[in-house]
Amino acid sequence: MNNEVQKNTSSLTKTKLWLDVLVFIAFLITMDPHTSGIAIHEWLSLAMIAAMTLHLLLSWDWIVEITSRFLGKLGGQNRINYILNWLLFIDGTLIMISGIMISEVALPLMGITLPMGFAWRRLHDMSANIGLILLGLHTALHWSWIVTTFNKYLLQPIVKLFSAKQKKDASI
Ligand code: HEM
Ligand code: HEM
């Protein structure tokens, strides 16, 4: 790989890593609205729509490629990831729509009041719980990427920093 391509790949991977860490933490916070408070719950979840769009855009090449190959020859792991990603997408949409339908802070603040009724609250709770399971599977399927990337871009730089400092201290 030439240097320029290598640099672009590594900065894309770093962007993915930080975004994934942020959305993971944000998702865990949104799973406990009683601790965070309902206002944080709603605004943070709505902000996650932008973060999730970015998450998908950063893997756009993969999505386009696997979509075109899905009915043909495709390795098992990619097929499972693809199906699971669609389930995540559908479930995520249900969480957001049902959340908006029961909104107590964000929508009233914008002057929007939606009719109550239907089992929005039940749907919200159920889709959020299913989301937690799907996210667990999504994380498990990307575990080796997570470990490798954490090691390369977080642990190793910290270890290098400390060993450089130790060498400097020893030479004084
Ligand atoms: C808290 C939420 C999520 C976290 C922490 C997360 C984490 C990850 C990680 C670690 C990867 C591998 C590295 C990367 O390409 O970034 C990945 C890939 C991917 N994720 Fe997510 N993800 C989340 C939600 C979602 C959702 C809701 C969808 C679908 C709408 C999705 C679709 C994808 C796709 C298409 C890929 C790349 C292809 C693949 O290898 O599966 N992710 N995600
Ligand atoms: C990642 C997205 C989201 C997740 C994971 C999530 C998760 C949850 C969970 C687990 C509950 C508790 C359900 C219960 O105790 O019965 C809840 C309640 C609630 N959520 Fe969400 N939610 C999300 C997005 C949203 C959005 C976008 C809104 C509105 C704009 C919203 C509004 C609410 C409201 C009003 C409640 C009821 C709180 C109460 O008990 O009074 N949520 N959510």
Side-chain angles (χ1 to χ4, degrees), residues 8 16 27 33-34 47 54 79 91 95 102 109 126 142 147:
N8 286 343
K16 282 182 172 181
F27 187 85
H34 303 292
L54 191 56
R79 203 177 284 279
D91 189 64
I95 300 179
I102 58 168
L109 198 74
M126 209 169 74
H142 289 95
V147 172

Side-chain angles (χ1 to χ4, degrees), residues 23 26-34 37-39 41-49 52 91-92 94-108 110 116 121-122 124-129 131-132:
V23 286
F27 187 85
L28 292 185
I29 296 173
T30 57
M31 277 309 289
D32 192 5
H34 303 292
I38 200 67
H41 176 77
E42 293 193 11
W43 291 115
L44 188 62
S45 313
L46 289 172
M48 271 178 79
I49 296 177
M52 284 328 302
D91 189 64
L94 286 179
I95 300 179
M96 291 299 173
I97 292 175
S98 56
I100 288 170
M101 292 308 289
I102 58 168
S103 170
E104 292 167 7
V105 177
L107 262 72
M110 294 179 211
M116 278 293 165
R121 196 171 283 259
R122 270 239 303 276
H124 191 60
D125 190 26
M126 209 169 74
S127 50
N129 289 333
L132 195 61

Side-chain angles (χ1 to χ4, degrees), residues 95-170:
I95 300 179
M96 291 299 173
I97 292 175
S98 56
I100 288 170
M101 292 308 289
I102 58 168
S103 170
E104 292 167 7
V105 177
L107 262 72
L109 198 74
M110 294 179 211
I112 304 170
T113 36
L114 294 168
M116 278 293 165
F118 192 62
W120 293 116
R121 196 171 283 259
R122 270 239 303 276
L123 179 63
H124 191 60
D125 190 26
M126 209 169 74
S127 50
N129 289 333
I130 293 174
L132 195 61
I133 298 169
L134 293 177
L135 181 63
L137 292 172
H138 190 57
T139 309
L141 286 168
H142 289 95
W143 194 246
S144 85
W145 182 93
I146 295 169
V147 172
T148 313
T149 315
F150 243 90
N151 207 3
K152 187 166 173 194
Y153 294 109
L154 204 76
L155 285 185
Q156 279 177 20
I158 292 175
V159 170
K160 264 189 204 150
L161 202 76
F162 273 104
S163 56
K165 192 179 173 313
Q166 264 176 356
K167 265 189 205 153
K168 203 171 150 204
D169 288 348

Side-chain angles (χ1 to χ4, degrees), residues 12-13 15-17 19-28 48 52 55-56 58-60 62-63 66 77-78 80-82 84-93 135 138-139 141-143 145-146 149:
L12 176 69
T13 310
T15 310
K16 282 182 172 181
L17 176 69
L19 182 69
D20 293 346
V21 169
L22 285 180
V23 286
F24 186 74
I25 295 169
F27 187 85
L28 292 185
M48 271 178 79
M52 284 328 302
H55 183 61
L56 293 180
L58 289 174
S59 292
W60 198 245
W62 183 92
I63 296 172
I66 304 300
Q77 174 87 8
N78 272 332
I80 293 171
N81 276 339
Y82 190 80
L84 187 69
N85 290 341
W86 265 109
L87 293 178
L88 271 167
F89 183 76
I90 295 165
D91 189 64
T93 309
L135 181 63
H138 190 57
T139 309
L141 286 168
H142 289 95
W143 194 246
W145 182 93
I146 295 169
T149 315

